[in-house]
Every structure is written in structure tokens, then in C-alpha cells.
Amino acid sequence: MGIKVAKFGGSSVADAGQIKKIGEIINSDADIRYVVVSAPGKRFDEDTKITDLLYLCLTHIEHKLPYEQVFQMITDRFLEMERDLGVDVGMKEELEEIRRQIDKGTTADYLASRGEYLNGKLVAAYLGFSFADPAEFIRFSDKGKHLEEETNTGIAFALKDVERAVIPGFYGAREDGTVKTFSRGGSDITGALVARAVGAQVYENWTDVSGFLVADPRIVKNPKPIKQISYKELRELAYMGASVLHEEAIYPARVASIPINIRNTNQPQDPGTMITAEPARLEEGQIISGIAGRKDFTSITIYSSHMIGQKGFIRRMAAILEDHDVTIEHIPSGIDTVSVIVFNHMIDGKLDDILDEFQRQLKPDAMDVQSDLALIATVGAGMASRKGTSARLFTALAQADINIQMIDQGSSEMNIIVGVDSADFEEAIRAIYRAFVAES
Ligand code: ASP
């Protein structure tokens, strides 16, 4: 079999008990050669993540407040983990070194990265793996821009002769050796970068859920898990607000067509969700992959009987929005109407000005603004080859007595987006779920 890269998120490595669990997972699969770890996360709901404690330390230092108490909490947790795991990584000395760096006036990124660094040391010692410090091969420019190619060759070179290693997530370094972190949650990116550089057969991303669900469980009761989904479909769902992996994190695996498998550390027997380059082979009766939606859109509809045949109408409309620094999300259009859909926050305090400009430059017959619009995307690569998908969707919404305010089907036929009143948002998602998933 090929190489597997496994990344374990904060809750999977929150304490010695969790690290023992990941030890079992790794030891039962010899293909897992490279392990990427986050800093210890929350052990229980009210707990604080180590990274948050490190940032809290920084805030104290920046405000010239004593930081000892917060640092002590970090110290206690790491010393306890070292003891409970029965390893010796010289944790006390490591923590003293960090303190010395603080007193010398260290950078925010260095301090924030220490959660991953120390955890990497612990996990490597516990597993008996090598420890590979990403400050040596994940590269950033002097200005702090991530350098993709240098990183890719850097990782491949550093791990070339290393049989099994633990690599802390979240950070790398500039040319001069100073540490630079990715954005929050950045260990996912490290995992994908390592997977790409070593040509992994799969990138396993271990967390505390058994993959993605077809719909938001706060809206649909016990939604089915998504077994397999393509990168493209996932992107559509992410854009619509589904909490899935960050685009930046997927990118390195995606360019190399490496499948990502989302798994649950606390339920390792679950297969999780497999994200692949190609759309999934659909199971019997399955048409869609997921449903996601977002509230807080505004639609501005312009009615103009002269629109057809007029050159530059849409361009001028788009230019007015651009002048107001507003990005356009969708432009559904009819013969005499065109609507533009934007996020509410984008036009906060600007709407009247924009409408005035529309009036002046576009001379519409009428305009209509709807500010409480919700958009719902029904996503599935399988929809293109199925007749009657939209009929099924619209019938479901009609039966639930929901008025559709807008329809937009991307030309890829991978999704159908409907706009409904925000008040109908949850019910519309449930109706779509019933029509496509529960009844399939
Ligand atoms: N520890 C970092 C954070 O909390 C990075 C990560 O866990 O992915 O954002």
C-alpha cells in the first residue's frame, strides 16, 4: 500500500488519554508514516485550547500585565501530559526555553506555535517516531507569504529517509529562521502540504466527528453522513456556509488529486467522509450529495423594458457595485429584469447610495429590494444526469408552502440554488432533505 498522512486535530490530542487513542489508530496501520498534530484542544466544553492560552499570554505581555498565571496553566497541562504518557522529552527545560524567549521579547507567531511544537515532541516520543520540526522545511517569504514550491521540495527532502515521523502543524519559518504561523486552524494545511510532498495515497484528517453530514444537524434531525464527495461539490457546500474543511487546507491535496478522509478519533470504526477528485459513484436512489444554506443576503431587482438589446447594462450595474466596494454573489436575470444578490454586510450603510446610482445611470422602470433573503444550495454531481431533479425540488418546496424568490442553476448542473424568505430557511432545508434523502 502507499503512504498515508494522518493529521490529528486539537480534541484528538487534548490530553494523554486522547494521545493513547491516536497511538492505537497509528499502531494498527503501518501505512500511516507521517503524523501531523495540532496543539492540545479542549478536553471538555468549558476548557480552553492551548493555542488560545498562548494568545492570551501574548495579550498580557502586550499590555504589560503579568502573564505568569496563564503560562502556569500551559506548563501544568504539558507536564501532566508528559507524566501521564510516561515519556521524557525534557518538557520542563522546553518550557523554560520558551519563557526565556518571552523575556527576550519574542514574536507572537513563535509563541502561538509552541502548542504544536511541544505536542509534536510528546506524540513523537510516545509513538517512538522521529520528530520533524516544520521550521526547517515549511517556508515563508520575508514578508510572511507562504512559499508553496520551496515547501513542497523542502518537505520531500526532509522526510526522504525518515521512516515514520511526527510533524507539528500550524507553522513554518521564514528564510532567517523566524517562525511564521498559518491562519487559525492551520494544522489542516500542514497535513495537506505533507500529503502532497510525500505523494500520499490518502490524507486522513482525524477529528471528533465521523465526517460531514448531508445537512446541518441543528436543522435536520439525524442527517445521513456523506460517504464520498468530490472537491468541487464540497466547495459549493463550503461557500454556502457548511462547516467543512477550509479551502486553503484542501488546496495542496486537491492539486495532487490526493483523497482526504475525514475520520473520528473517538469512533475509529466509522469510515467517515472521503473527499475525492472525481464525483462519487452514487448509491442506489442517491441523487444529491449535500444541502447547505446561508441567511443574510439582499437582492436588488431592477426592472427595465429597455434592458434587452441595450449594451453594457450589466457592466454598468456591476461597475456601480464595484465603486461601492461590494462583491456580487449571484445575478439571476429575466427578459426585463435583472437581480443582483449580495451579502447584507457588504451594503451596510451604502444601500441608498447604490440605489441612487442605479436610478441615475441605469434609468430603470422600477427597483425592488429584498433584504431578508436566504439562499439554499442543493449540491450533487449526479443531478446533471437525472431528469426531474428540479421538479422534485420545487414540488417539495411548494408542498411545504414555501415561496421561491429566486432560482439559479449553475451551468455545471452540480447545484441548484433557491432563494427563500429567511423565515422559511429551516423548513425549506427540511423539505429538500425529505424529498431527496429521507425518501430515497
Ligand atoms: N492550534 C491552532 C489553532 O487552534 C492550529 C490548529 O489547531 O489547526 O488554531
Side-chain angles (χ1 to χ4, degrees):
M1 281 298 257
I3 300 172
K4 288 184 185 171
V5 171
K7 178 256 167 182
F8 293 89
S11 63
S12 300
V13 285
D15 58 19
Q18 287 298 93
I19 292 180
K20 287 179 185 169
K21 274 193 204 164
I22 76 159
E24 273 178 40
I25 292 168
I26 298 161
N27 288 329
S28 64
D29 188 348
D31 291 336
I32 300 182
R33 288 187 42 202
Y34 304 113
V35 173
V36 174
V37 291
S38 280
K42 290 185 179 195
R43 294 158 294 181
F44 41 88
D45 276 355
E46 310 77 50
D47 199 16
T48 313
K49 295 176 178 186
I50 288 286
T51 310
D52 288 329
L53 290 175
L54 288 163
Y55 279 118
L56 189 60
C57 240
L58 275 163
T59 314
H60 279 73
I61 295 164
E62 276 161 16
H63 290 86
K64 305 205 167 25
L65 293 167
Y67 65 84
E68 274 69 21
Q69 246 184 332
V70 187
F71 198 77
Q72 193 57 46
M73 288 166 78
I74 299 168
T75 304
D76 291 347
R77 264 184 85 174
F78 276 117
L79 288 177
E80 182 182 307
M81 286 168 81
E82 185 184 45
R83 196 185 56 236
D84 292 352
L85 287 171
V87 294
D88 179 4
V89 297
M91 186 57 83
K92 203 158 155 277
E93 293 72 30
E94 291 281 5
L95 287 156
E96 272 160 17
E97 170 60 21
I98 295 171
R99 248 196 122 101
R100 263 197 301 281
Q101 295 297 332
I102 294 177
D103 293 338
K104 274 189 359 205
T106 186
T107 64
D109 282 16
Y110 168 81
L111 193 52
S113 71
R114 293 305 88 183
E116 270 72 11
Y117 169 83
L118 295 175
N119 215 20
K121 289 257 161 181
L122 284 174
V123 175
Y126 179 68
L127 294 170
F129 283 20
S130 311
F131 172 80
D133 191 343
E136 282 160 25
F137 46 78
I138 293 195
R139 289 270 153 264
F140 289 86
S141 72
D142 291 344
K143 292 205 171 78
K145 188 177 170 296
H146 177 235
L147 303 172
E148 250 182 69
E149 284 316 311
E150 283 85 339
T151 296
N152 199 41
T153 36
I155 298 174
F157 185 74
L159 299 180
K160 191 166 45 86
D161 300 318
V162 184
E163 194 43 40
R164 298 185 99 178
V166 174
I167 303 131
F170 191 37
Y171 72 94
R174 299 182 184 81
E175 201 60 29
D176 64 4
T178 52
V179 166
K180 171 84 185 80
T181 58
F182 289 113
S183 52
R184 290 300 304 266
S187 300
D188 283 332
I189 307 176
T190 310
L193 290 170
V194 174
R196 177 186 175 191
V198 302
Q201 158 220 338
V202 60
Y203 166 30
E204 291 185 343
N205 190 301
W206 291 82
T207 126
D208 54 4
V209 289
S210 295
F212 304 137
L213 300 167
V214 173
D216 186 337
R218 289 167 300 185
I219 300 174
V220 173
K221 225 165 110 203
N222 290 327
K224 283 196 182 166
I226 300 177
K227 286 193 189 146
Q228 193 189 336
I229 189 164
S230 64
Y231 292 123
K232 276 199 189 126
E233 291 167 290
L234 197 70
R235 196 174 135 72
E236 303 274 352
L237 291 174
Y239 165 73
M240 271 301 173
S243 47
V244 290
L245 278 181
H246 202 275
E247 179 68 16
E248 215 187 338
I250 291 183
Y251 178 77
R254 179 181 179 155
V255 289
S257 294
I258 297 170
I260 306 176
N261 190 191
I262 310 294
R263 302 285 296 266
N264 188 348
T265 298
N266 304 317
Q267 270 164 299
Q269 68 284 359
D270 290 351
T273 298
M274 193 62 107
I275 310 164
T276 51
E278 294 304 316
R281 244 197 299 122
L282 299 179
E283 286 172 44
E284 186 58 30
Q286 188 196 350
I287 301 172
I288 66 161
S289 305
I291 309 162
R294 260 166 116 148
K295 291 181 179 174
D296 302 323
F297 289 95
T298 295
S299 108
I300 308 171
T301 304
I302 302 173
Y303 302 87
S304 169
S305 46
H306 327 289
M307 200 171 77
I308 283 282
Q310 228 192 90
K311 292 194 184 74
F313 191 91
I314 306 247
R315 179 179 51 75
R316 272 178 285 143
M317 181 187 82
I320 295 169
L321 291 166
E322 188 181 348
D323 288 346
H324 287 82
D325 210 17
V326 173
T327 29
I328 298 170
E329 301 305 320
H330 296 276
I331 311 186
S333 62
I335 298 176
D336 293 332
T337 65
V338 57
S339 304
V340 53
I341 295 179
V342 295
F343 279 116
N344 287 349
H345 67 86
M346 277 271 159
I347 51 163
D348 237 10
K350 300 179 191 167
L351 183 60
D352 288 343
D353 278 356
I354 293 171
L355 293 178
D356 282 351
E357 273 314 295
F358 278 179
Q359 192 67 48
R360 207 171 61 78
Q361 293 192 39
L362 305 174
K363 303 193 174 35
D365 301 335
M367 287 191 289
D368 181 34
V369 176
Q370 201 204 331
S371 54
D372 43 14
L373 191 71
L375 298 188
I376 300 169
T378 305
V379 176
M383 291 193 312
S385 56
R386 291 286 191 126
K387 294 193 189 77
T389 310
S390 25
R392 193 152 160 185
L393 177 70
F394 303 143
T395 308
L397 292 173
Q399 277 169 357
D401 204 21
I402 290 165
N403 183 26
I404 304 175
Q405 322 242 4
M406 178 216 103
I407 300 167
D408 196 356
Q409 179 171 26
S411 42
S412 63
E413 284 194 60
M414 212 168 56
N415 67 14
I416 302 174
I417 296 175
V418 292
V420 300
D421 197 292
S422 284
D424 291 330
F425 179 68
E426 282 82 6
E427 196 41 51
I429 290 185
R430 283 192 282 268
I432 299 170
Y433 184 86
R434 277 197 303 273
F436 284 101
V437 189
E439 285 170 12
S440 67

